[in-house]
Amino acid sequence: MNILKIIVLISIGFVLLNCDNAKPVSNHSSAESSTSSLPNNDLLTSQNLEINAVKNELPIEIDELTTLFDVFADNNIINYKYRVKNTPKQALLLTSTLDTLRSNLLNDYCQNVPQMKELKNVFPNGANYHYFINDEEIVIVELNPDDCQSEKS
């Protein structure tokens, strides 16, 4: 998959962080546990900037079968929602397909580049990738920063 488009969009958000004059978000959840080095208000503001930067570019065609159509934050996790076309549900659920999908996402997520480091700082609890066929959620791939450590082992 072409995660490069997403990384570029996320980079735009980081540029916007440097010129942030937005009011802090007042929606605080006591259930949120942040392992990030950012204070809570800054974390929420950074997350909103990231999400909005990507949302402004949606939909994004990742490849001939996959389109990113939504992105949102929940509990310090960034969630990407993809539509998959011309693919039967059973093909997406094959163990080999799921293994390849997770491996590719993990490879991109664990890159040691500034954009991914910042993404993991802004969303310290990880990233979820939701795949839909005909408006039915078929697969969720959940990644978190600890997965990158286990990948190196």
Side-chain angles (χ1 to χ4, degrees):
M1 278 191 224
N2 186 355
I3 197 77
L4 184 59
K5 289 180 184 178
I6 302 302
I7 293 172
V8 169
L9 291 173
I10 290 170
S11 300
I12 292 169
F14 296 128
V15 170
L16 293 174
L17 274 174
N18 292 330
C19 11
D20 179 29
N21 61 358
K23 295 179 183 176
V25 178
S26 61
N27 182 14
H28 299 289
S29 168
S30 59
E32 280 189 74
S33 64
S34 172
T35 56
S36 172
S37 60
L38 294 174
N40 197 37
N41 278 347
D42 291 344
L43 182 66
L44 290 172
T45 300
S46 298
Q47 289 176 353
N48 286 332
L49 285 169
E50 291 302 319
I51 297 298
N52 290 333
V54 176
K55 279 187 179 269
N56 287 335
E57 300 298 322
L58 295 177
I60 300 169
E61 189 173 313
I62 304 301
D63 58 34
E64 63 275 356
L65 299 176
T66 314
T67 302
L68 178 65
F69 71 94
D70 194 16
V71 62
F72 64 96
D74 182 35
N75 193 26
N76 293 325
I77 298 170
I78 188 166
N79 290 268
Y80 301 101
K81 294 172 81 174
Y82 296 95
R83 271 192 201 94
V84 180
K85 61 183 179 183
N86 301 326
T87 304
K89 177 180 175 178
Q90 295 78 9
L92 193 57
L93 291 172
L94 288 172
T95 302
S96 59
T97 303
L98 294 172
D99 289 346
T100 300
L101 184 60
R102 181 171 175 76
S103 177
N104 289 342
L105 290 170
L106 194 58
N107 187 43
D108 290 335
Y109 182 76
C110 294
Q111 287 183 1
N112 194 18
V113 296
Q115 295 90 347
M116 292 311 291
K117 287 179 183 178
E118 185 64 21
L119 179 73
K120 288 180 257 189
N121 189 41
V122 174
F123 296 98
N125 294 342
N128 293 340
Y129 303 83
H130 306 257
Y131 290 87
F132 292 79
I133 296 176
N134 297 327
D135 296 323
E136 178 186 359
E137 187 171 64
I138 307 299
V139 174
I140 302 173
V141 178
E142 299 176 345
L143 301 178
N144 65 62
D146 291 341
D147 293 332
C148 297
Q149 297 305 320
S150 62
E151 188 70 11
K152 292 177 184 176
S153 303

